Amino acid sequence: MFILNKGMTSGKPQKEPFANSFVIQFLNDEDAETVYWLAYSLWKSKFWHQSLCGSVIPFLLIYDFKKGFSTKADEITHEHELHKKQVQALRLLEQKEEEFHQNINLINEMRRVILSRYCSK
């Protein structure tokens, strides 16, 4: 897993590599999935904004990331069942959001086709 460490989206988790990111490795997929959703939740709630440094391009120090992430991971282990339910809800929301974006793209494509008929005459 990769965690973006530069810019206002610092802390964003990604399963594919990208520049300016920390790398987190796991022994199994279950741990990777649990940590991904924890990182995703922290990123979406702008948890890392309080730790950003830099005046032009903000960045997240690995020390601050480890400290903050470790604290939150410990909290999750105590409430693991609640975390699993929340992850299930987040997955459903991500799926619905993706469907919504696909529908918006289809609507825009249909609009473009209809409007192109006016220009072709």
Side-chain angles (χ1 to χ4, degrees):
M1 181 172 68
F2 302 88
I3 305 290
L4 185 64
N5 69 348
K6 286 201 177 170
M8 291 307 291
T9 56
S10 290
K12 178 180 182 181
Q14 185 83 14
K15 293 182 181 180
E16 300 298 321
F18 51 5
N20 302 316
S21 60
F22 304 132
V23 178
I24 303 175
Q25 296 178 334
F26 303 95
L27 295 177
N28 59 53
D29 290 340
E30 184 180 330
D31 290 345
E33 193 70 12
T34 298
V35 171
Y36 173 84
W37 286 105
L38 173 58
Y40 177 86
S41 301
L42 293 173
W43 168 65
K44 277 294 203 182
S45 66
K46 301 183 190 282
F47 177 80
W48 302 111
H49 280 210
Q50 63 191 357
S51 301
L52 294 179
C53 304
S55 58
V56 177
I57 298 175
F59 60 94
L60 180 61
L61 297 171
I62 193 148
Y63 171 80
D64 292 332
F65 177 79
K66 284 181 181 180
K67 186 174 125 186
F69 196 81
S70 177
T71 302
K72 290 297 182 181
D74 289 343
E75 288 176 19
I76 290 298
T77 57
H78 290 52
E79 301 174 354
H80 191 66
E81 289 304 314
L82 175 61
H83 173 69
K84 287 191 332 190
K85 288 179 184 176
Q86 290 174 336
V87 165
Q88 188 176 19
L90 287 170
R91 282 185 182 147
L92 180 61
L93 288 171
E94 285 291 306
Q95 179 185 357
K96 294 299 180 187
E97 184 178 23
E98 180 62 30
E99 291 171 7
F100 175 75
H101 286 295
Q102 289 174 353
N103 287 338
I104 291 294
N105 289 338
L106 286 172
I107 290 169
N108 286 335
E109 181 64 22
M110 289 171 38
R111 181 181 294 124
R112 188 190 63 75
V113 168
I114 291 169
L115 293 174
S116 70
R117 291 182 182 160
Y118 288 107
C119 296
S120 64
K121 291 185 181 181

